Amino acid sequence: MKWTDDRSGNVEDRRGLGGGAVVGGGLGTLIIAAIVFFLGGDPSSILNSGNAGSNSIGTEQRDLSPDELKIREFVQMITAENEETWTKVFTENGMQYSPAKVVLFESVTESGCGTAQSAMGPFYCPADRKVYMDMSFFKELQSRFGAKVTEFTIAYVMAHEMGHHVQNLVGVLEETNKARTSGNYSEAQLNKISVATELQADYYAGVWAKQTDSREHFLEPGDIDAAIEAAEAVGDDNIQKRSQGYVNQESFTHGSSAQRKEWFMKGYNTGDIRQGDTFNQLLK
């Protein structure tokens, strides 16, 4: 992909600042493994419940390497392009867009949803309206889940998380959280709601790619294929096959590889935020 000249000031880089590695968390590594690399959603219930009984081990501050500084500049660029595109889309639909912040961290940091750990993968926290990203996720995406990582792979992941921010601004996440805490739905029904939520974020990532390319012409051959490959790699069926050797569709929370590709491409082909109602499509 081609770099643009836009940079956002809404990127907070906590790498190299020191901090701590959390040990002895309440949930333990098995549950962390169960949600690893699922790309988004509201992690507050998981993160908050994992805080009790945790201890931190301090780490020393260090200078960022040239490669890390380049990554920060890239994230600043993608953040700026999300801000510009979604401001335009919201204005065209009679709404006002408020930007999200992006936090770069390593190993562990604090979020408005509780303690964030790199094993959780990138996520959006509705409580503080921030996207949290430990860039080591992309090494795992390539080595463990078979996706070739390019610059546009990172852009797609960020766009998916920004899609959750869009959902937060328009009230979707508030409604899904009410459903989750109401006690009126079975686990299978809540899983379907979660799938619809995640696929809509994929749809919005496709809308972003289309709208931003129309303005900046930043896409190059292979970029959309890289996004599709990443989306397919983190499909529930692919993750389950790799982690447990079989697929249980009722336990899907993010959608199959085919669904994630389908909804990203729907967003990209239409470029229209109004055609991304995954809930009516999937919850009939």
Side-chain angles (χ1 to χ4, degrees):
M1 63 174 291
K2 298 176 182 176
W3 284 43
T4 71
D5 294 329
D6 298 323
R7 303 290 184 271
S8 172
N10 285 321
V11 175
E12 180 183 353
D13 195 346
R14 299 180 186 175
R15 299 170 301 166
L17 297 180
V22 174
V23 295
L27 286 182
T29 56
L30 289 180
I31 294 182
I32 295 300
I35 62 167
V36 68
F37 306 133
F38 274 7
L39 285 184
D42 178 0
S44 57
S45 62
I46 296 170
L47 295 174
N48 284 329
S49 60
N51 287 338
S54 296
N55 298 300
S56 62
I57 301 172
T59 57
E60 295 182 357
Q61 294 189 15
R62 65 175 180 82
D63 292 332
L64 297 180
S65 69
D67 284 345
E68 288 174 318
L69 293 174
K70 184 177 180 180
I71 287 171
R72 179 169 66 194
E73 186 178 4
F74 179 78
V75 170
Q76 289 171 333
M77 178 187 71
I78 298 301
T79 303
E81 298 306 339
N82 271 276
E83 290 169 356
E84 189 165 347
T85 292
W86 286 115
T87 296
K88 174 179 177 290
V89 171
F90 270 53
T91 299
E92 290 172 347
N93 288 275
M95 300 180 291
Q96 185 173 355
Y97 183 74
S98 299
K101 288 191 175 182
V102 177
V103 177
L104 292 173
F105 73 98
E106 52 190 0
S107 299
V108 65
T109 194
E110 290 301 315
S111 78
C113 297
T115 301
Q117 300 182 52
S118 57
M120 296 168 181
F123 69 88
Y124 173 71
C125 175
D128 58 15
R129 296 187 174 186
K130 293 181 180 180
V131 172
Y132 289 84
M133 296 186 65
D134 184 327
M135 303 303 290
S136 65
F137 164 78
F138 295 99
K139 295 179 182 177
E140 296 290 335
L141 184 63
Q142 182 162 300
S143 64
R144 292 186 60 187
F145 295 100
K148 180 181 177 181
V149 174
T150 68
E151 287 182 340
F152 197 73
T153 305
I154 300 173
Y156 155 69
V157 172
M158 287 187 60
H160 174 98
E161 301 307 333
M162 290 294 183
H164 287 307
H165 180 58
V166 170
Q167 291 174 317
N168 195 25
L169 294 180
V170 301
V172 169
L173 294 189
E174 181 180 0
E175 292 301 314
T176 58
N177 187 57
K178 286 179 181 178
R180 182 167 58 86
T181 57
S182 69
N184 296 329
Y185 298 90
S186 67
E187 182 178 354
Q189 289 172 322
L190 290 176
N191 285 345
K192 289 182 179 180
I193 292 173
S194 177
V195 168
T197 304
E198 296 301 326
L199 293 180
Q200 187 176 66
D202 278 331
Y203 179 88
Y204 288 161
V207 170
W208 171 79
K210 182 70 168 185
Q211 293 264 357
T212 305
D213 188 54
S214 295
R215 184 183 69 250
E216 296 288 351
H217 306 291
F218 75 147
L219 291 178
E220 295 182 312
D223 284 342
I224 294 300
D225 290 337
I228 291 172
E229 188 173 340
E232 291 178 329
V234 291
D236 284 322
D237 50 346
N238 186 48
I239 291 176
Q240 289 183 359
K241 284 178 184 177
R242 289 175 178 268
S243 63
Q244 63 191 25
Y246 63 92
V247 173
N248 178 9
Q249 190 169 348
E250 286 191 359
S251 68
F252 284 6
T253 57
H254 285 61
S256 68
S257 296
Q259 286 176 312
R260 300 202 71 163
K261 173 184 176 180
E262 175 189 1
W263 282 98
F264 172 80
M265 288 307 301
K266 280 185 178 180
Y268 179 73
N269 288 329
T270 66
D272 185 359
I273 189 177
R274 295 168 296 181
Q275 296 187 44
D277 189 352
T278 56
F279 295 89
N280 280 333
Q281 290 281 331
L282 299 170
L283 303 180
K284 292 178 180 178

